Amino acid sequence: MKLEVVVVPVSDVDKAKAFYQGLGWRLDADFAKSEDFRVVQLTPPGSPASIIFGTGLTSAAPGSADGLQLVVDDIDAARAELASRGAEVSEVFHDAGGVFHHGGTAGRAAGPAPDHQSYGSFASFSDPDGNGWFVQEVTTRLPGR
Protein backbone atom coordinates (compact mmCIF):
# COMPACT_ATOMS: atom_id res chain seq x y z
CA MET A 1 0.00 0.00 0.00
CA LYS A 2 1.10 3.55 -0.68
CA LEU A 3 -0.23 6.78 0.74
CA GLU A 4 -1.56 8.58 -2.34
CA VAL A 5 -3.47 11.64 -1.18
CA VAL A 6 -4.32 13.63 1.95
CA VAL A 7 -7.48 15.74 2.19
CA VAL A 8 -6.81 19.26 3.49
CA PRO A 9 -9.90 21.15 4.66
CA VAL A 10 -10.05 24.72 3.34
CA SER A 11 -12.62 27.51 3.32
CA ASP A 12 -11.72 29.17 0.02
CA VAL A 13 -10.69 26.75 -2.73
CA ASP A 14 -9.27 29.37 -5.09
CA LYS A 15 -7.25 31.04 -2.31
CA ALA A 16 -5.82 27.67 -1.22
CA LYS A 17 -5.05 26.73 -4.82
CA ALA A 18 -3.16 30.00 -5.35
CA PHE A 19 -1.24 29.51 -2.07
CA TYR A 20 -0.05 25.99 -2.84
CA GLN A 21 0.73 26.78 -6.48
CA GLY A 22 2.67 29.78 -5.19
CA LEU A 23 4.81 27.35 -3.20
CA GLY A 24 5.69 25.65 -6.48
CA TRP A 25 3.38 22.66 -6.10
CA ARG A 26 2.18 21.04 -9.32
CA LEU A 27 -1.52 21.35 -10.14
CA ASP A 28 -2.69 17.85 -11.07
CA ALA A 29 -6.44 18.38 -11.30
CA ASP A 30 -9.22 20.88 -10.83
CA PHE A 31 -12.59 19.26 -11.44
CA ALA A 32 -15.92 20.91 -10.70
CA LYS A 33 -18.90 18.59 -11.17
CA SER A 34 -21.33 21.11 -9.74
CA GLU A 35 -21.42 24.21 -7.56
CA ASP A 36 -21.46 21.87 -4.55
CA PHE A 37 -18.61 19.56 -5.58
CA ARG A 38 -15.09 20.52 -6.67
CA VAL A 39 -11.80 18.67 -6.31
CA VAL A 40 -8.37 20.30 -6.60
CA GLN A 41 -5.25 18.13 -6.38
CA LEU A 42 -1.69 19.42 -6.02
CA THR A 43 1.62 17.66 -5.48
CA PRO A 44 4.71 19.03 -3.73
CA PRO A 45 7.88 18.93 -5.86
CA GLY A 46 9.41 15.44 -5.81
CA SER A 47 6.59 13.90 -3.78
CA PRO A 48 4.78 10.69 -4.71
CA ALA A 49 1.80 11.79 -2.55
CA SER A 50 -0.57 14.69 -3.17
CA ILE A 51 -3.08 16.81 -1.33
CA ILE A 52 -6.67 17.44 -2.35
CA PHE A 53 -9.14 20.04 -1.22
CA GLY A 54 -12.29 21.50 -2.62
CA THR A 55 -16.01 21.79 -2.07
CA GLY A 56 -18.09 18.90 -0.74
CA LEU A 57 -15.06 16.68 0.05
CA THR A 58 -14.88 16.57 3.82
CA SER A 59 -16.83 17.46 6.93
CA ALA A 60 -13.60 18.51 8.68
CA ALA A 61 -13.43 22.16 9.67
CA PRO A 62 -11.24 24.38 7.49
CA GLY A 63 -7.82 24.73 9.06
CA SER A 64 -8.17 21.63 11.26
CA ALA A 65 -5.36 19.62 9.63
CA ASP A 66 -2.33 19.74 11.90
CA GLY A 67 1.03 18.02 11.70
CA LEU A 68 1.17 17.52 7.93
CA GLN A 69 4.75 16.62 7.12
CA LEU A 70 7.10 17.40 4.25
CA VAL A 71 10.59 15.87 4.11
CA VAL A 72 13.62 17.64 2.65
CA ASP A 73 17.35 16.96 2.54
CA ASP A 74 18.35 20.58 3.36
CA ILE A 75 16.20 22.35 5.94
CA ASP A 76 17.86 25.74 5.49
CA ALA A 77 17.39 25.73 1.71
CA ALA A 78 13.79 24.51 2.04
CA ARG A 79 13.00 27.21 4.60
CA ALA A 80 14.51 29.90 2.37
CA GLU A 81 12.55 28.60 -0.64
CA LEU A 82 9.24 28.60 1.25
CA ALA A 83 9.87 32.11 2.59
CA SER A 84 10.80 33.41 -0.88
CA ARG A 85 7.49 32.03 -2.17
CA GLY A 86 5.44 33.87 0.45
CA ALA A 87 4.98 31.30 3.21
CA GLU A 88 5.24 32.60 6.75
CA VAL A 89 7.66 29.90 7.82
CA SER A 90 9.18 29.57 11.29
CA GLU A 91 12.87 29.67 11.98
CA VAL A 92 14.57 26.28 11.92
CA PHE A 93 14.23 24.44 15.22
CA HIS A 94 14.84 21.08 16.82
CA ASP A 95 13.19 19.30 19.72
CA ALA A 96 14.82 20.07 23.06
CA GLY A 97 14.42 16.39 23.98
CA GLY A 98 16.03 15.29 20.75
CA VAL A 99 13.33 12.93 19.51
CA PHE A 100 10.54 14.50 17.43
CA HIS A 101 8.76 17.84 17.57
CA HIS A 102 6.00 18.31 20.11
CA GLY A 103 2.54 19.59 19.22
CA GLY A 104 2.32 23.35 18.99
CA THR A 105 5.53 25.14 19.90
CA ALA A 106 6.33 23.30 23.14
CA GLY A 107 9.83 21.86 23.45
CA ARG A 108 11.34 23.79 20.56
CA ALA A 109 15.01 24.69 20.68
CA ALA A 110 16.35 27.28 18.26
CA GLY A 111 18.40 26.18 15.29
CA PRO A 112 18.96 22.86 13.60
CA ALA A 113 19.60 19.64 15.48
CA PRO A 114 23.22 19.17 16.56
CA ASP A 115 25.30 18.23 13.50
CA HIS A 116 22.07 18.41 11.47
CA GLN A 117 21.21 14.96 12.80
CA SER A 118 18.87 13.26 10.33
CA TYR A 119 15.18 13.52 11.32
CA GLY A 120 16.03 16.20 13.89
CA SER A 121 15.59 19.64 12.27
CA PHE A 122 12.26 21.28 11.48
CA ALA A 123 10.51 24.40 10.28
CA SER A 124 6.77 25.00 10.27
CA PHE A 125 4.21 27.00 8.35
CA SER A 126 0.46 27.17 7.84
CA ASP A 127 -1.74 27.69 4.81
CA PRO A 128 -4.25 30.58 4.72
CA ASP A 129 -6.79 28.53 6.70
CA GLY A 130 -4.30 27.53 9.39
CA ASN A 131 -3.66 23.94 8.29
CA GLY A 132 -0.31 23.23 9.91
CA TRP A 133 2.72 21.86 8.08
CA PHE A 134 6.13 20.75 9.32
CA VAL A 135 9.20 20.50 7.15
CA GLN A 136 11.65 17.90 8.42
CA GLU A 137 15.26 17.40 7.37
CA VAL A 138 16.08 13.77 6.57
CA THR A 139 19.55 13.11 5.21
CA THR A 140 19.95 9.44 6.10
CA ARG A 141 16.93 7.14 6.27
CA LEU A 142 16.36 4.74 9.13
CA PRO A 143 16.95 1.06 8.25
CA GLY A 144 14.09 -0.53 6.36
CA ARG A 145 13.00 2.68 4.66
Side-chain angles (χ1 to χ4, degrees):
M1 288 185 228
K2 293 181 184 179
L3 179 63
E4 182 75 19
V5 70
V6 174
V7 178
V8 177
V10 302
S11 61
D12 184 323
V13 177
D14 291 319
K15 186 175 183 179
K17 179 181 171 184
F19 174 79
Y20 287 107
Q21 283 189 286
L23 296 182
W25 295 23
R26 182 186 71 230
L27 177 64
D28 300 321
D30 186 346
F31 301 113
K33 292 293 183 179
S34 71
E35 192 174 296
D36 297 328
F37 190 74
R38 179 177 175 194
V39 179
V40 175
Q41 179 174 319
L42 292 112
T43 302
S47 178
S50 303
I51 62 167
I52 63 171
F53 50 82
T55 307
L57 291 181
T58 180
S59 60
S64 62
D66 188 28
L68 300 164
Q69 195 96 6
L70 298 168
V71 173
V72 300
D73 57 11
D74 184 332
I75 193 70
D76 297 311
R79 186 200 174 280
E81 173 80 10
L82 287 165
S84 76
R85 291 179 169 272
E88 292 183 25
V89 61
S90 74
E91 294 297 323
V92 173
F93 64 92
H94 64 281
D95 183 71
V99 179
F100 193 74
H101 64 79
H102 290 71
T105 58
R108 288 186 181 184
D115 300 320
H116 278 266
Q117 177 185 2
S118 194
Y119 293 94
S121 301
F122 302 89
S124 62
F125 69 97
S126 296
D127 72 8
D129 281 293
N131 292 300
W133 290 88
F134 287 97
V135 182
Q136 180 181 35
E137 184 176 72
V138 177
T139 55
T140 304
R141 291 276 180 187
L142 292 171
R145 291 290 314 237

